[in-house]
Amino acid sequence: MLTGAGVGRGAGIGPVVRVSPAPVAPTDERAPADREATAARATAAFDDVAAALRAQADGAEGAAVAVLQATAQMAQDRALRTKVLARIADGEPPVAALDAVVKTFVDMFTAAGGMLLERVTDLRSVRDRVAAHLLGVPVPGVPQLTGPAVVVAEDLAPADTAALDLRHVVAIVTEQGGTTSHTAIIAGQRSIPCVVRVTGALDLEPGTVVAVDAASGTVEVDPGPEVAEAFAERARLAAQLAEDTSAGATADGVPVGLLANIGTAADAERAAGTAVEGVGLFRTEVLFLERTTAPTREEQAAVYAEVLRSLGGRKVVVRTLDAGADKPLAFATQPDEENPALGVRGYRLVRTAPELLETQLAALADAQRETGIEPWVMAPMISTPDEARDFATSARAHGLTTVGVMVEVPAAALRAEAILAEVDFVSMGTNDLAQYVMASDRLRGELSDLISMWQPAVLDLVAATARAGQQAGKPAGVCGESAGDPVMAVVLVGLGVTSLSMSSGSVPAVRFAVSRHTQEQARAVAAAALGARSATDARAAAVAALAPEVAALLGA
């Protein structure tokens, strides 16, 4: 039995399929005889990789679109290309030049830490693809699948995850990675059982049958028939839960909004066909990635109007541009930030490119007028009440009347009462909040215990924010990945959170868990978690306090 960190609650059994290894620079790679021709070949390799990634993005869905676009943008990065071509011009062999430059950037990203560290996997993916073109060998990644398969890799690149054939992928297992990485988020959105940080995963021989359980974070080698029976029963119960399309509420009738996270108009259309009460997070940065100039007001308005129409009047919460750090923009990102995760990102872009926000707010107002449907709008990375006031003033000046902000910076949680005096609602982004509270990089496997949403210190700030919402009589929701965990959902409701936004596939189990607890019972579950000394103890205490039928059904 191998163990790691699970993503979602899915499970599956199948034979191991190993990801093809990255091409290695030949030890006898020669200096280019024709440096200009070699430089042209390297440029063409970068162009081909970028074009292939863009083509993948065009055929992808959901979060995969943004990831593939961002990776394509990295393949087009001027600094990366320029440095490689300069080394080739100096007579260095092409793959050796590529490796040296990529290593420099990897070291830089690793030293910067934070969300920039998450781009290391993307950068290495670009390196591997370009190297394959230069060497004339197959592009590394997942081989063509012809039957059920558990994909095993050291660290699956987001571009590879996005391209997986869902007809055959039973589960994903990686030896590295993190539960909030791009790969993990895509796997969760596509309902692929995934376990990361699995020591010994690469020792699994191809063809070995394994049982992957994301709920418990385990990978069992050569499972017995009883495991398959247990997984089948869980699948049956999950299908049964999905038949309940009632509005989210506690057992004593306290409403809890159950919403979906989306990134594109296509996501909105799919979410509209499920039992969700609307959208709690529309990640609009997908519109901006992989562009050399910002989308126009007209382009944005058309997409926003399409999303509003798709949901047919249901609530839609639009997050304004959340760029910077791990989501750089060619036309806005600061090139010389030493620590982008703590720099000009999210709402802070008004300091350097105020026209981006003004155009976006105008486009949202246009969509509102065109459809007659009012969107909720919120800004990311708000740190102070003054920032909240300034954003609200700008949004309302455009005719947008329901205005809120994200709480993902500890300062915002600590001053939530003052911030709520300026806006109509708040929504907590628990991934970033946990990262900033615990001062821990999201992909550092050795720090995975610190980055957990179950850390009592993180729960303390969620509780403080929810309490401020109750006192102000204003909504305080959660739109981080933690909202899709049924056990955590009960805790969040007990803390006073009014809505939960997640991947639409997570909604049935969350609806069931919340509906089996009165608000008072949920408060007791939350109190048990808050009283713990560690993240592990907090979750165990919450599970012990759950209603028995919920714990049994969820396998918690």
Side-chain angles (χ1 to χ4, degrees):
M1 183 79 76
L2 307 180
T3 60
V7 179
R9 302 195 57 78
I13 299 175
V16 168
V17 171
R18 292 278 292 274
V19 172
S20 303
V24 178
T27 56
D28 59 349
E29 189 182 19
R30 297 180 179 180
D34 186 337
R35 299 181 186 182
E36 288 188 6
T38 303
R41 194 159 55 88
T43 298
F46 275 110
D47 289 340
D48 289 346
V49 169
L53 288 166
R54 286 197 300 271
Q56 276 187 256
D58 291 341
E61 300 176 347
V65 176
V67 171
L68 288 164
Q69 288 175 339
T71 309
Q73 186 178 38
M74 184 169 284
Q76 294 176 301
D77 184 78
R78 183 178 301 174
L80 178 62
R81 291 188 182 208
T82 299
K83 290 181 182 295
V84 171
L85 295 178
R87 296 182 80 107
I88 292 173
D90 289 338
E92 194 167 346
V95 179
L98 174 67
D99 286 352
V101 173
V102 168
K103 182 181 184 304
T104 299
F105 278 100
V106 166
D107 291 344
M108 185 189 310
F109 289 0
T110 302
M115 281 181 279
L116 197 59
L117 181 63
E118 297 183 10
R119 301 311 305 277
V120 168
T121 299
D122 298 351
L123 179 59
R124 286 176 173 153
S125 175
V126 170
R127 177 268 168 205
D128 295 345
R129 291 162 186 261
V130 172
H133 278 262
L134 290 171
L135 295 171
V137 300
V139 174
V142 182
Q144 184 173 0
L145 304 176
T146 57
V150 173
V151 176
V152 176
E154 180 178 12
D155 189 9
L156 196 62
D160 291 326
T161 311
L164 289 174
D165 186 341
L166 295 185
R167 295 173 301 171
H168 301 309
V169 177
V170 172
I172 295 172
V173 177
T174 68
E175 196 160 79
Q176 296 183 11
T179 56
T180 58
S181 68
H182 283 148
T183 295
I185 290 173
I186 293 174
Q189 187 174 56
R190 303 181 82 179
S191 299
I192 304 173
C194 179
V195 182
V196 300
R197 307 299 305 181
V198 180
T199 301
L202 296 182
D203 295 330
L204 295 170
E205 292 293 332
T208 302
V209 175
V210 295
V212 181
D213 188 347
S216 62
T218 59
V219 179
E220 184 176 354
V221 180
D222 294 326
E226 70 281 359
V227 176
E229 292 171 6
F231 283 7
E233 176 63 11
R234 279 170 55 179
R236 186 189 68 78
L237 292 173
Q240 179 180 322
L241 294 181
E243 294 176 1
D244 182 1
T245 59
S246 59
T250 62
D252 51 344
V254 177
V256 178
L258 301 180
L259 310 165
N261 294 339
I262 67 168
T264 65
D267 289 345
E269 187 172 348
R270 282 187 295 273
T274 65
V276 298
E277 295 160 53
V279 168
L281 174 62
F282 176 12
R283 301 181 176 99
T284 59
E285 57 269 16
V286 174
L287 296 172
F288 293 76
L289 296 174
E290 206 210 346
R291 296 182 60 121
T292 55
T293 59
T296 65
R297 174 174 171 173
E298 292 73 22
E299 288 174 318
Q300 292 185 57
V303 174
Y304 303 149
E306 186 177 353
V307 169
L308 293 174
R309 289 194 191 95
S310 293
L311 272 299
R314 281 179 273 182
K315 175 180 177 180
V316 176
V317 182
V318 181
R319 182 176 69 187
T320 57
L321 179 60
D322 186 17
D326 64 326
K327 291 172 281 190
L329 297 178
F331 49 87
T333 301
Q334 303 297 300
D336 57 351
E337 288 188 306
E338 293 185 3
N339 193 338
L342 301 179
V344 181
R345 55 168 300 209
Y347 177 71
R348 297 172 184 179
L349 283 169
V350 296
R351 298 167 182 255
T352 57
E355 69 282 358
L356 291 177
L357 178 62
E358 284 302 303
T359 300
Q360 186 168 28
L361 293 176
L364 283 164
D366 291 344
Q368 178 178 268
R369 284 189 291 271
E370 180 183 338
T371 63
I373 301 171
E374 177 192 339
W376 293 32
V377 59
M378 64 181 180
M381 284 296 289
I382 292 293
S383 301
T384 69
D386 284 350
E387 287 182 338
R389 180 198 61 218
D390 292 345
F391 173 70
T393 298
S394 296
R396 289 167 182 155
H398 283 281
L400 301 166
T401 56
T402 307
V403 184
V405 300
M406 294 282 291
V407 173
E408 48 202 337
V409 177
L414 292 169
R415 299 293 294 167
E417 183 177 349
I419 285 175
L420 277 161
E422 306 291 346
V423 296
D424 304 307
F425 70 96
V426 294
S427 185
M428 289 167 267
T430 51
N431 291 344
D432 271 334
L433 184 61
Q435 174 173 245
Y436 290 131
V437 170
M438 303 307 296
S440 301
D441 288 340
R442 289 164 63 176
L443 281 190
R444 285 290 187 186
E446 64 270 28
L447 301 178
S448 59
D449 59 317
L450 295 179
I451 199 64
S452 171
M453 175 59 194
W454 287 98
Q455 280 290 347
V458 180
L459 293 175
D460 282 341
L461 290 187
V462 172
T465 304
R467 188 163 53 248
Q470 290 175 327
Q471 292 170 349
K474 296 178 179 179
V478 166
C479 60
E481 295 301 317
S482 60
D485 176 353
V487 183
M488 176 58 77
V490 176
V491 170
L492 294 173
V493 170
L495 294 177
V497 169
T498 56
S499 66
L500 303 167
S501 191
M502 65 204 81
S503 298
S504 55
S506 300
V507 170
V510 169
R511 176 186 288 111
F512 172 79
V514 170
S515 69
R516 293 306 189 273
H517 295 82
T518 64
Q519 190 170 46
E520 190 59 36
Q521 289 171 330
R523 289 192 186 110
V525 176
L530 284 173
R533 289 175 56 87
S534 69
T536 301
D537 291 346
R539 190 177 195 282
V543 169
L546 285 175
E549 68 270 26
V550 174
L553 187 60
L554 298 178

